[in-house]
Amino acid sequence: MTNTLYTPIEISQWWLRRDFSLIPVQPNSKRNVRGFGIHQDKIQSAERFAVWFDDNSNLAVCASHPKRILDFDDADRYAWWAKKFPNESQSYTERTPNNGYHVFAEFYGESLDGIALVPGVELLQVVLVSPSVVNGKQYARGMGDILRMDSSVVFSHLAKPRRSIPPQRSIIRQGAGKLDQIKSSFSCLDVIQAVNPKIKVRISSRRFLSLPCPFHDDKEPSFWILPERNLWGCHACGIRGDVINLFARLHGLSNSDAIREMGKVL
């Protein structure tokens, strides 16, 4: 990894040449600027980028099919994957502020729809990129270019847990029982209301709650919670997860750090 200096315009042009759209994000946060998002407005020219961005803005990129981003929660999981796939690991990669890794790739072969990956690894369409800063920590720009990967090969090793994948250290320490206790002790709604007690919540059906998304400026509530399974997601952002993922995203933590923090109050 390197932090070779690029101007914001140079960075925007680099992503645009690779068919990524740009999303302006509020300074020192992961919240999109109002009106922008995966299913909302996106920037597709360097000229428009120059209008929206200043030195304090954060930047997210949105991948178009068949490009996606592999999100590794921690260095151990990324190191395992890089050793398993030395050629694929040469694809453009950025280090996140929490010592995770984003690997950008163009996939071919098996469909990406409905792929469930091992804990600690996600397949994303939108991520923050360098030179964004969250909680005072910067995303580190990488080297190289975005490579093509055979999804049927890559995901055959990521689709379910294997003993060769090192479990997160916090999970080893606390045990599966502790994880179940955390998930049963925290509800997704409680976690959000602890951050924003005044957030407006409505019942959209017998099973779902609907509320403004905490990760982008949401004019019409696109965030949902399924209380009976303690799951959440956002139709606009295209993300979803459990209560641990939610706590981690709201507080800018990795999943392993979120488990440690949530475990402290039990």
Side-chain angles (χ1 to χ4, degrees):
M1 301 296 163
T2 179
N3 269 322
T4 302
L5 294 179
Y6 293 87
T7 67
I9 289 295
E10 288 174 331
I11 290 175
S12 73
Q13 291 172 335
W14 193 92
W15 288 109
L16 291 169
R17 284 196 299 269
R18 288 155 181 81
D19 296 324
F20 282 78
S21 300
L22 311 177
I23 297 174
V25 179
Q26 297 175 27
N28 199 36
S29 79
K30 296 183 178 181
R31 294 176 182 270
N32 297 347
V33 170
R34 181 182 295 275
F36 289 89
I38 187 172
H39 297 301
Q40 297 176 293
D41 195 9
K42 295 183 283 289
I43 292 174
Q44 296 177 322
S45 72
E47 292 76 17
R48 192 166 179 227
F49 173 89
V51 172
W52 275 100
F53 283 82
D54 58 39
D55 291 340
N56 295 319
S57 297
N58 277 353
L59 170 65
V61 296
C62 179
S64 58
H65 183 79
K67 295 184 176 70
R68 288 294 185 270
I69 304 101
L70 278 171
D71 174 25
F72 292 89
D73 245 9
D74 56 50
D76 288 342
R77 289 189 180 276
Y78 172 75
W80 172 86
W81 181 82
K83 184 177 180 180
K84 190 78 175 177
F85 297 98
N87 294 329
E88 287 81 355
S89 66
Q90 299 304 306
S91 193
Y92 180 77
T93 302
E94 291 195 352
R95 190 172 66 246
T96 71
N98 292 313
N99 205 32
Y101 289 84
H102 287 159
V103 180
F104 298 79
E106 179 178 331
F107 292 99
Y108 65 91
E110 184 178 291
S111 171
L112 303 179
D113 296 334
I115 292 178
L117 303 184
V118 295
V121 184
E122 292 184 84
L123 186 66
L124 304 178
Q125 189 174 354
V126 177
V127 295
L128 262 66
V129 294
S130 171
S132 297
V133 175
V134 176
N135 295 330
K137 298 179 180 179
Q138 189 174 38
Y139 285 74
R141 186 164 177 80
M143 298 180 65
D145 210 338
I146 296 170
L147 304 181
R148 299 184 77 229
M149 298 185 192
D150 186 341
S151 57
S152 61
V153 174
V154 172
F155 294 122
S156 68
H157 293 273
L158 291 174
K160 59 182 180 180
R162 295 173 179 264
R163 291 185 178 181
S164 57
I165 300 177
Q168 295 178 16
R169 291 171 182 155
S170 61
I171 296 177
I172 294 176
R173 214 167 33 240
Q174 299 182 39
K178 188 70 170 182
L179 278 181
D180 292 338
Q181 186 181 358
I182 289 173
K183 291 181 179 181
S184 62
S185 299
F186 293 83
S187 74
C188 291
L189 183 58
D190 288 341
V191 167
I192 288 180
Q193 289 181 326
V195 175
N196 183 2
K198 296 183 179 180
I199 195 167
K200 295 181 179 180
V201 182
R202 62 183 177 86
I203 300 174
S204 60
S205 71
R206 291 183 179 180
R207 300 176 63 202
F208 289 90
L209 302 178
S210 178
L211 56 155
C213 179
F215 305 116
H216 75 276
D217 287 329
D218 208 1
K219 293 181 180 179
E220 297 184 6
S222 54
F223 193 89
W224 56 265
I225 293 175
L226 180 57
E228 67 185 50
R229 297 185 61 190
N230 210 17
L231 300 175
W232 62 274
C234 177
H235 299 298
C237 295
I239 55 176
R240 62 178 62 195
D242 61 19
V243 69
I244 293 173
N245 306 141
L246 180 59
F247 187 95
R249 285 183 177 273
L250 285 171
H251 296 278
L253 302 172
S254 66
N255 284 347
S256 55
D257 287 339
I259 291 168
R260 277 194 291 271
E261 291 301 315
M262 297 169 83
K264 290 178 181 178
V265 302
L266 296 180

